[in-house]
Amino acid sequence: MDVSELLDSLNDKQRDAVAAPSKNMLVLAGAGSGKTRVLVHRIAWLVQVEQISPHSILSVTFTNKAAAEMRGRVEQSIGGNIHGMWVGTFHGLAHRLLRMHFQEAKLPQTFQVLDSDDQLRMIKRVVRSLQLDEKKWPAKQAMYYINGKKDEGLRPQHIDCQFDPTEQTFVKIYQTYQDTCDRAGLVDFAELLLRAHELWLNNPILLEHYQQRFTRILVDEFQDTNAIQYAWLNMLGKKHGNVMIVGDDDQSIYGWRGAKIENIQRFVKDFDAETIRLEQNYRSTANILNAANALITNNNNRLGKDLWTEDDAGETISLYTAFNEIDEARFISGRIKQWLEEGNSLDDVALLYRSNAQSRLLEEALLQARLPYRIYGGLRFFERQEIKDALAYLRLINNRNDDASFERIVNTPTRGIGNKALTLIRDCARSQGSTLWDACLHMIEQNELAGRSAKTIKAFVDLIVQLEDDSSNLNLDQQANHVIQHSGLKAMYQAEKGERAAARIENLNELVTACSTYEVDPEVEDELTPLTAFLTHASLEAGESQADEYESAVQLMTLHSAKGLEFPLVFIVGMEEGMFPSQQSAEDIVRLEEERRLCYVGMTRAMKKLYLTHAESRRLYGQEKYHRQSRFLKEIPDKFIDEIRMKNQVAKPKTTGRFSNTITMETFENTGFKLGQQVMHQKFGEGVVLNFEGTGAQSRVQVNFSDHGTKWLVVAYARLEAI
Ligand SMILES: Nc1ncnc2c1ncn2[C@@H]1O[C@H](COP(=O)(O)OP(=O)(O)OP(=O)(O)O)[C@@H](O)[C@H]1O
Ligand SMILES: [Mg+2]
């Protein structure tokens, strides 16, 4: 792209931001106003016009995927590659620094990243080792505590807990956990940021090196930075005064993870930054945009922004009231099918939900309708059980001190190592201040294990050593394959049988493929073995990209992970009180406002058409619950919404069992049943058909059961038999 093109595709305000002389800037603007576009064009501008070396540019994105996209977009617009430029998430960049300066950061070269699942296990173990009551000190709570403190930049010794015995215990857990991680060479996500911050704090020369190197810094989605990220940026960027941040206070949705909206104003003050506001939205139709704008005005203390569009009103937003969660899912799959039949692509469709667990039913409906789908950021490849098992073997082979991996696989597949033996090993590790692996060696050597345990533990130790011996000279993918085969994992999953087992084997095979296509980043990972590099990659990526990347598919994701994305057709499901807003946020104004921002984020992902759905009843934890519709629905002015309700589409519902003769003889929409007909249901027994609703796959019948009263049932599911 030449320079004029770079600017031509921008409006005046965007252009001002892209071509501004270097200074600290805040681009504050609502959803879809081109903030990310400005950032990308700004980088291209710096390289092409200002002749800044990519080496001097550091750009922070919110996800790894966004980083890859940004790199691609910049490379495309300057028509060349941008080697030397650092683009990544705060975590990814911190990790990179720690890899490059592991000694200064007081880490072993082979340090590994601990994901949250493994972190939780470690903390559980620590709580137990401190002989605390696990009910009183739940590991999860301790994990929030530890990560929260790290996000604030606090080590145990910084925490004043003299007069608070509860906090004293948490600090003790924090300290013990940290000691264990340090011993094992493990770094959790929050630790990455804190360590990287301390790295600079303790090494002024190193800091100065990076301050001089990164003379241009850009940050997307700034509204979701936490305290330690802000401190890190402040340290790096303040000296040269060329930091551009873009953000939207109305889209701050990670307060629960320590993000601070106040950082936006703080930045303006600390960095003496100029504010540029963008006001034109290029993403959504006027109906969608105005509905989202109306919703968000219900929040207080906003920085305030105007957002308008030149786009047409477009279709109204459709609101569907499903009568239960199955109906909701089927309605959605029906509409997607229709969308596809109208000649559109599945890639253009997103289903957004409040919590991950909601995906299951939607998946089921999509599977039934044979609509390919992909879960974005949910059941991630590298988080799947079998993958984590295989990686744990590789990790332990790579680094015997990795206690988390040791714990995971010591008895997977089962090899008769019981809890008793494990407790002995843990105790020994604790008393020796050693890792679990070393404790095993010690106990074997000293004959401290009972006959059977001694044998099984020795066998495990031998297995790991053998796996390493046999595979260390192989290529990375051969090595992975060898370990999957000879660890017993493959046989174990094969023995499981069924579809799920087949999927697991497929995943394991895919891991080998992932190894074979993995490319080492020469700037950081040259010194590492390919295995260490790959294992790190696995932890960081956690499968943000899915296996079947090239197939056209519906995207399923949580509202949180939809941030920054856009789709022509969007469904937001489960819009019920207690679901969205979530139960916990209903009484707390701060949390409620964050939920509302989340709804704003969700709605503003839609370009052409938005569906909002809710179910009148829903099975939750095995129980049928009735929820009122979400207050957010009521906050959207009626003029933007069009209600679809099956009841409106059918003949008047009847509530009694008496029918006129003409109706009695009709078979409703080929359901196979007639009004007044006697039917049998597996669970509810005998009954009489009272009424029909809906059409096609969604048709429902109302049946009066002799023993269970009147119920509405979806014909396709109910398996009613005429008698
Ligand atoms: N000046 C412009 N002319 C035409 N299209 C534009 C312009 N600016 C942005 N767009 C398009 O508008 C859409 C939204 O842009 P972008 O994703 O950069 O917005 P954003 O402010 O980052 O949104 P979000 O707040 O959701 O992250 C994109 O499809 C982008 O290509
Ligand atoms: Mg954006």
Side-chain angles (χ1 to χ4, degrees):
M1 201 186 286
D2 64 29
V3 176
S4 60
E5 260 179 274
L6 237 174
L7 297 180
D8 279 353
S9 54
L10 300 173
N11 65 32
D12 288 350
K13 286 202 175 150
Q14 291 175 327
R15 213 172 290 147
D16 285 349
V18 166
S22 283
K23 60 189 158 188
N24 292 323
M25 273 183 285
L26 156 69
V27 178
L28 179 68
S33 57
K35 295 183 296 298
T36 304
R37 177 185 274 220
V38 162
L39 220 65
V40 170
H41 284 236
R42 172 75 175 171
I43 296 171
W45 171 270
L46 291 174
V47 176
Q48 271 186 306
V49 180
E50 294 199 11
Q51 303 284 311
I52 304 286
S53 157
H55 192 75
S56 304
I57 300 175
L58 178 126
S59 169
V60 187
T61 54
F62 202 72
T63 60
N64 292 322
K65 203 176 159 105
E69 248 172 56
M70 175 162 293
R71 187 176 279 279
R73 275 157 76 174
V74 173
E75 288 184 344
Q76 200 187 3
S77 65
I78 64 172
N81 68 34
I82 39 167
H83 275 319
M85 172 168 141
W86 281 27
V87 190
T89 61
F90 275 110
H91 287 101
L93 295 168
H95 170 258
R96 190 171 231 223
L97 274 171
L98 296 177
R99 276 278 171 237
M100 292 172 82
H101 306 287
F102 65 93
Q103 275 158 328
E104 291 94 330
K106 303 195 179 58
L107 286 168
Q109 187 171 14
T110 53
F111 81 85
Q112 280 295 311
V113 181
L114 196 65
D115 70 17
S116 49
D117 202 31
D118 286 337
Q119 184 186 22
L120 189 65
R121 279 169 197 256
M122 287 274 282
I123 294 173
K124 251 189 198 138
R125 195 156 72 79
V126 167
V127 171
R128 252 181 261 142
S129 80
L130 291 171
Q131 279 157 5
L132 293 167
D133 180 350
E134 289 175 60
K135 288 214 181 69
K136 224 174 131 201
W137 305 98
K140 223 176 191 146
Q141 209 177 330
M143 183 162 98
Y144 285 134
Y145 179 84
I146 294 170
N147 292 343
K149 291 298 167 200
K150 287 187 177 185
D151 284 343
E152 289 171 40
L154 299 174
R155 293 288 182 199
Q157 66 268 24
H158 301 137
I159 301 165
D160 180 13
C161 55
Q162 220 178 331
F163 304 107
D164 184 343
T166 308
E167 180 139 25
Q168 276 171 8
T169 306
F170 275 127
V171 170
K172 196 161 168 201
I173 298 172
Y174 180 4
Q175 182 70 60
T176 316
Y177 162 75
Q178 197 52 46
D179 292 343
T180 317
C181 285
D182 289 346
R183 248 193 334 260
L186 295 169
V187 176
D188 62 52
F189 280 112
E191 182 75 15
L192 285 171
L193 300 173
L194 181 52
R195 280 256 175 169
H197 183 244
E198 289 171 347
L199 174 71
W200 283 344
L201 212 56
N202 301 329
N203 297 276
I205 296 175
L206 200 67
L207 172 62
E208 202 176 316
H209 164 79
Y210 282 104
Q211 283 171 335
Q212 276 171 7
R213 170 170 175 179
F214 293 120
T215 54
R216 299 295 188 281
I217 299 170
L218 305 99
V219 187
D220 199 359
E221 306 276 4
F222 185 80
Q223 73 278 0
D224 277 320
T225 48
N226 65 25
I228 192 81
Q229 289 164 341
Y230 185 84
W232 190 82
L233 188 72
N234 202 10
M235 237 179 174
L236 180 66
K238 209 144 117 197
K239 198 158 173 184
H240 285 285
N242 295 319
V243 181
M244 176 189 264
I245 65 165
V246 311
D248 176 5
D249 53 314
D250 290 332
Q251 294 187 68
S252 173
I253 53 176
Y254 283 94
W256 53 284
R257 241 167 44 181
K260 294 197 164 31
I261 313 187
E262 309 87 82
N263 282 345
I264 299 181
Q265 286 132 305
R266 209 172 142 195
F267 175 85
V268 175
K269 232 169 89 209
D270 288 355
F271 283 72
D272 192 21
E274 182 188 327
T275 303
I276 296 181
R277 288 168 186 267
L278 310 176
E279 288 172 348
Q280 182 170 3
N281 170 295
Y282 291 93
R283 179 179 293 147
S284 311
T285 62
N287 273 332
I288 294 170
L289 183 66
N290 292 333
N293 282 344
L295 172 93
I296 200 67
T297 53
N298 290 285
N299 272 7
N300 297 306
N301 297 324
R302 302 168 54 223
L303 296 180
K305 289 173 304 279
D306 292 318
L307 204 54
W308 55 274
T309 173
E310 272 178 0
D311 207 0
D312 299 339
E315 280 189 56
T316 43
I317 296 169
S318 293
L319 168 64
Y320 180 69
T321 303
F323 94 115
N324 67 13
E325 74 282 10
I326 297 169
D327 178 27
E328 181 186 42
R330 289 175 65 95
F331 168 78
I332 292 167
S333 68
R335 289 294 158 127
I336 297 174
K337 246 196 153 127
Q338 201 178 322
W339 168 264
L340 192 63
E341 281 158 10
E342 286 162 7
N344 301 299
S345 162
L346 288 184
D347 284 330
D348 291 345
V349 186
L351 306 191
L352 310 182
Y353 35 81
R354 178 68 185 81
S355 74
N356 250 316
Q358 286 172 268
S359 80
R360 194 184 58 82
L361 273 165
L362 299 168
E363 291 184 58
E364 229 168 77
L366 292 170
L367 277 170
Q368 265 187 13
R370 297 185 189 282
L371 293 166
Y373 67 89
R374 196 174 297 139
I375 298 198
Y376 184 100
L379 249 181
R380 297 169 175 179
F381 180 76
F382 286 110
E383 285 173 3
R384 294 179 190 158
Q385 182 188 320
E386 60 280 11
I387 299 302
K388 294 198 72 169
D389 288 343
L391 289 175
Y393 272 96
L394 290 166
R395 290 211 157 95
L396 195 61
I397 287 168
N398 196 41
N399 169 16
R400 299 287 195 279
N401 297 331
D402 187 336
D403 281 355
S405 295
F406 180 102
E407 286 271 357
R408 183 168 186 106
I409 55 169
V410 64
N411 204 27
T412 305
T414 40
R415 52 187 123 245
I417 298 179
N419 268 335
K420 231 163 143 184
L422 280 176
T423 308
L424 285 175
I425 294 168
R426 290 182 194 126
D427 287 347
C428 171
R430 197 166 51 247
S431 67
Q432 303 249 326
S434 76
T435 60
L436 295 169
W437 178 266
D438 286 339
C440 282
L441 297 184
H442 174 84
M443 293 179 85
I444 293 169
E445 206 176 278
Q446 305 289 320
N447 270 331
E448 284 175 17
L449 289 160
R452 210 173 86 83
S453 303
K455 231 167 98 186
T456 48
I457 298 229
K458 173 95 175 31
F460 174 67
V461 167
D462 288 346
L463 172 69
I464 297 298
V465 174
Q466 189 70 44
L467 285 172
E468 181 179 35
D469 284 353
D470 291 345
S471 72
S472 56
N473 289 327
L474 301 175
N475 288 340
L476 181 57
D477 55 331
Q478 292 167 333
Q479 189 173 24
N481 194 28
H482 182 90
V483 169
I484 290 167
Q485 299 281 352
H486 293 88
S487 58
L489 278 183
K490 195 154 199 170
M492 174 180 95
Y493 283 121
Q494 255 155 0
E496 256 184 24
K497 300 226 168 60
E499 250 175 56
R500 185 132 156 224
R504 294 205 148 127
I505 301 288
E506 258 175 45
N507 283 334
L508 288 171
N509 293 340
E510 183 59 29
L511 179 64
V512 177
T513 313
C515 287
S516 68
T517 52
Y518 177 65
E519 274 176 27
V520 173
D521 174 353
E523 190 177 355
V524 208
E525 293 163 344
D526 228 10
E527 315 265 288
L528 301 177
T529 63
L531 180 58
T532 309
F534 179 78
L535 290 173
T536 303
H537 158 80
S539 311
L540 283 176
E541 286 284 317
E544 272 187 63
S545 67
Q546 304 264 323
D548 47 355
E549 217 166 330
Y550 301 104
E551 190 183 10
S552 172
V554 179
Q555 315 268 327
L556 273 67
M557 68 193 83
T558 60
L559 287 150
H560 279 98
S561 44
K563 201 161 85 145
L565 306 177
E566 58 188 22
F567 303 89
L569 175 61
V570 170
F571 294 81
I572 303 179
V573 313
M575 299 219 44
E576 294 136 43
E577 286 292 302
M579 300 274 292
F580 187 35
S582 69
Q583 194 76 55
Q584 304 91 312
S585 59
E587 280 118 45
D588 175 348
I589 178 81
V590 175
R591 294 174 78 167
L592 182 66
E593 293 205 341
E594 181 150 311
E595 294 283 298
R596 192 176 283 112
R597 290 193 293 270
L598 191 57
C599 188
Y600 174 78
V601 167
M603 292 173 71
T604 53
R605 298 311 96 197
M607 299 163 80
K608 299 269 166 259
K609 177 73 192 177
L610 174 62
Y611 282 94
L612 305 171
T613 66
H614 69 106
E616 287 175 330
S617 86
R618 181 181 294 279
R619 281 193 91 73
L620 283 174
Y621 319 110
Q623 276 191 356
E624 185 147 330
K625 298 248 165 80
Y626 291 84
H627 292 278
R628 275 176 299 134
Q629 60 167 246
S630 168
R631 69 189 74 191
F632 300 150
L633 292 174
K634 295 188 197 124
E635 290 171 5
I636 302 171
D638 287 346
K639 61 179 173 196
F640 301 123
I641 291 195
D642 178 24
E643 268 196 71
I644 310 173
R645 226 188 136 100
M646 278 195 258
K647 281 180 186 151
N648 297 336
Q649 298 172 351
V650 296
K652 278 205 170 66
K654 290 260 194 268
T655 45
T656 71
R658 284 196 301 266
F659 309 100
S660 74
N661 277 339
T662 47
I663 300 180
T664 318
M665 297 315 292
E666 268 174 21
T667 304
F668 188 79
E669 273 264 337
N670 302 326
T671 54
F673 300 105
K674 294 178 206 157
L675 294 180
Q677 182 166 29
Q678 293 275 335
V679 290
M680 181 67 155
H681 182 272
Q682 257 186 343
K683 189 161 152 214
F684 305 129
E686 276 184 39
V688 178
V689 175
L690 295 187
N691 201 356
F692 295 105
E693 259 188 17
T695 53
Q698 283 145 13
S699 40
R700 300 178 269 166
V701 285
Q702 189 184 34
V703 182
N704 187 6
F705 292 103
S706 331
D707 297 333
H708 289 86
T710 308
K711 292 192 186 302
W712 280 100
L713 301 166
V714 175
V715 177
Y717 285 103
R719 302 224 198 104
L720 287 173
E721 280 173 38
I723 49 174

mmCIF file of all heavy atoms in Angstrom, residues 32 34-37 220-221 246 251 283 563-565 605, ligand 2:
data_model
loop_
_atom_site.group_PDB
_atom_site.id
_atom_site.type_symbol
_atom_site.label_atom_id
_atom_site.label_comp_id
_atom_site.label_asym_id
_atom_site.label_seq_id
_atom_site.Cartn_x
_atom_site.Cartn_y
_atom_site.Cartn_z
ATOM 1 N N GLY A 32 -16.328 -0.421 17.130
ATOM 2 C CA GLY A 32 -16.448 -0.397 15.677
ATOM 3 C C GLY A 32 -16.089 0.924 15.023
ATOM 4 O O GLY A 32 -16.422 1.151 13.860
ATOM 5 N N GLY A 34 -13.086 1.963 14.481
ATOM 6 C CA GLY A 34 -11.825 1.876 13.749
ATOM 7 C C GLY A 34 -10.579 2.074 14.598
ATOM 8 O O GLY A 34 -9.530 2.434 14.081
ATOM 9 N N LYS A 35 -10.680 1.800 15.899
ATOM 10 C CA LYS A 35 -9.509 1.944 16.767
ATOM 11 C C LYS A 35 -8.400 0.999 16.349
ATOM 12 O O LYS A 35 -7.242 1.383 16.222
ATOM 13 C CB LYS A 35 -9.888 1.665 18.227
ATOM 14 C CG LYS A 35 -10.853 2.668 18.806
ATOM 15 C CD LYS A 35 -11.144 2.378 20.272
ATOM 16 C CE LYS A 35 -11.850 1.059 20.517
ATOM 17 N NZ LYS A 35 -13.183 0.960 19.896
ATOM 18 N N THR A 36 -8.770 -0.271 16.148
ATOM 19 C CA THR A 36 -7.754 -1.250 15.785
ATOM 20 C C THR A 36 -7.195 -0.918 14.399
ATOM 21 O O THR A 36 -5.999 -1.036 14.161
ATOM 22 C CB THR A 36 -8.347 -2.670 15.850
ATOM 23 O OG1 THR A 36 -8.871 -2.879 17.159
ATOM 24 C CG2 THR A 36 -7.308 -3.720 15.560
ATOM 25 N N ARG A 37 -8.085 -0.453 13.528
ATOM 26 C CA ARG A 37 -7.606 -0.067 12.201
ATOM 27 C C ARG A 37 -6.584 1.068 12.306
ATOM 28 O O ARG A 37 -5.547 1.055 11.646
ATOM 29 C CB ARG A 37 -8.783 0.368 11.318
ATOM 30 C CG ARG A 37 -8.326 0.843 9.957
ATOM 31 C CD ARG A 37 -9.477 1.379 9.121
ATOM 32 N NE ARG A 37 -10.159 0.331 8.393
ATOM 33 C CZ ARG A 37 -10.602 0.451 7.141
ATOM 34 N NH1 ARG A 37 -10.429 1.563 6.473
ATOM 35 N NH2 ARG A 37 -11.225 -0.534 6.567
ATOM 36 N N ASP A 220 -3.539 -1.891 22.126
ATOM 37 C CA ASP A 220 -4.967 -2.016 21.785
ATOM 38 C C ASP A 220 -5.735 -2.463 23.040
ATOM 39 O O ASP A 220 -5.148 -3.040 23.952
ATOM 40 C CB ASP A 220 -5.139 -3.063 20.668
ATOM 41 C CG ASP A 220 -6.482 -2.918 19.942
ATOM 42 O OD1 ASP A 220 -7.271 -2.028 20.306
ATOM 43 O OD2 ASP A 220 -6.740 -3.698 19.002
ATOM 44 N N GLU A 221 -7.024 -2.212 23.080
ATOM 45 C CA GLU A 221 -7.887 -2.642 24.189
ATOM 46 C C GLU A 221 -7.314 -2.229 25.547
ATOM 47 O O GLU A 221 -7.271 -3.021 26.498
ATOM 48 C CB GLU A 221 -8.060 -4.175 24.164
ATOM 49 C CG GLU A 221 -8.555 -4.743 22.847
ATOM 50 C CD GLU A 221 -10.070 -4.703 22.671
ATOM 51 O OE1 GLU A 221 -10.761 -4.150 23.557
ATOM 52 O OE2 GLU A 221 -10.553 -5.199 21.641
ATOM 53 N N VAL A 246 -5.192 2.752 22.517
ATOM 54 C CA VAL A 246 -6.562 2.900 22.050
ATOM 55 C C VAL A 246 -7.468 2.082 22.959
ATOM 56 O O VAL A 246 -7.070 1.032 23.464
ATOM 57 C CB VAL A 246 -6.748 2.466 20.572
ATOM 58 C CG1 VAL A 246 -5.711 3.093 19.680
ATOM 59 C CG2 VAL A 246 -6.740 0.970 20.429
ATOM 60 N N GLN A 251 -16.162 -0.797 27.076
ATOM 61 C CA GLN A 251 -15.889 -2.199 26.767
ATOM 62 C C GLN A 251 -14.931 -2.837 27.762
ATOM 63 O O GLN A 251 -14.305 -3.856 27.471
ATOM 64 C CB GLN A 251 -15.322 -2.330 25.352
ATOM 65 C CG GLN A 251 -16.327 -1.945 24.278
ATOM 66 C CD GLN A 251 -15.789 -2.259 22.893
ATOM 67 O OE1 GLN A 251 -15.621 -3.414 22.526
ATOM 68 N NE2 GLN A 251 -15.506 -1.235 22.117
ATOM 69 N N ARG A 283 -19.129 -0.403 11.546
ATOM 70 C CA ARG A 283 -19.372 -1.835 11.642
ATOM 71 C C ARG A 283 -20.842 -2.212 11.510
ATOM 72 O O ARG A 283 -21.186 -3.116 10.756
ATOM 73 C CB ARG A 283 -18.839 -2.357 12.975
ATOM 74 C CG ARG A 283 -19.081 -3.840 13.181
ATOM 75 C CD ARG A 283 -18.527 -4.329 14.508
ATOM 76 N NE ARG A 283 -17.076 -4.262 14.542
ATOM 77 C CZ ARG A 283 -16.362 -4.009 15.633
ATOM 78 N NH1 ARG A 283 -16.971 -3.764 16.773
ATOM 79 N NH2 ARG A 283 -15.050 -3.985 15.585
ATOM 80 N N LYS A 563 -14.508 -10.049 22.163
ATOM 81 C CA LYS A 563 -13.994 -8.680 22.138
ATOM 82 C C LYS A 563 -13.133 -8.400 20.906
ATOM 83 O O LYS A 563 -12.302 -9.206 20.527
ATOM 84 C CB LYS A 563 -13.147 -8.476 23.388
ATOM 85 C CG LYS A 563 -12.976 -7.051 23.745
ATOM 86 C CD LYS A 563 -12.568 -6.915 25.168
ATOM 87 C CE LYS A 563 -11.058 -7.046 25.300
ATOM 88 N NZ LYS A 563 -10.544 -6.194 26.351
ATOM 89 N N GLY A 564 -13.366 -7.269 20.274
ATOM 90 C CA GLY A 564 -12.535 -6.869 19.130
ATOM 91 C C GLY A 564 -12.949 -7.497 17.809
ATOM 92 O O GLY A 564 -12.499 -7.075 16.763
ATOM 93 N N LEU A 565 -13.824 -8.537 17.845
ATOM 94 C CA LEU A 565 -14.188 -9.233 16.604
ATOM 95 C C LEU A 565 -15.473 -8.664 16.016
ATOM 96 O O LEU A 565 -16.188 -7.907 16.662
ATOM 97 C CB LEU A 565 -14.384 -10.725 16.896
ATOM 98 C CG LEU A 565 -13.228 -11.430 17.585
ATOM 99 C CD1 LEU A 565 -13.593 -12.880 17.878
ATOM 100 C CD2 LEU A 565 -11.977 -11.362 16.736
ATOM 101 N N ARG A 605 -20.777 -6.522 18.253
ATOM 102 C CA ARG A 605 -20.039 -7.421 17.350
ATOM 103 C C ARG A 605 -20.813 -7.598 16.052
ATOM 104 O O ARG A 605 -20.284 -8.039 15.044
ATOM 105 C CB ARG A 605 -19.840 -8.823 17.976
ATOM 106 C CG ARG A 605 -19.034 -8.910 19.256
ATOM 107 C CD ARG A 605 -17.755 -8.173 19.188
ATOM 108 N NE ARG A 605 -17.898 -6.838 19.753
ATOM 109 C CZ ARG A 605 -17.037 -5.855 19.544
ATOM 110 N NH1 ARG A 605 -15.988 -6.026 18.786
ATOM 111 N NH2 ARG A 605 -17.214 -4.667 20.096
HETATM 112 MG MG MG B 2 -10.639 -3.125 18.123
#
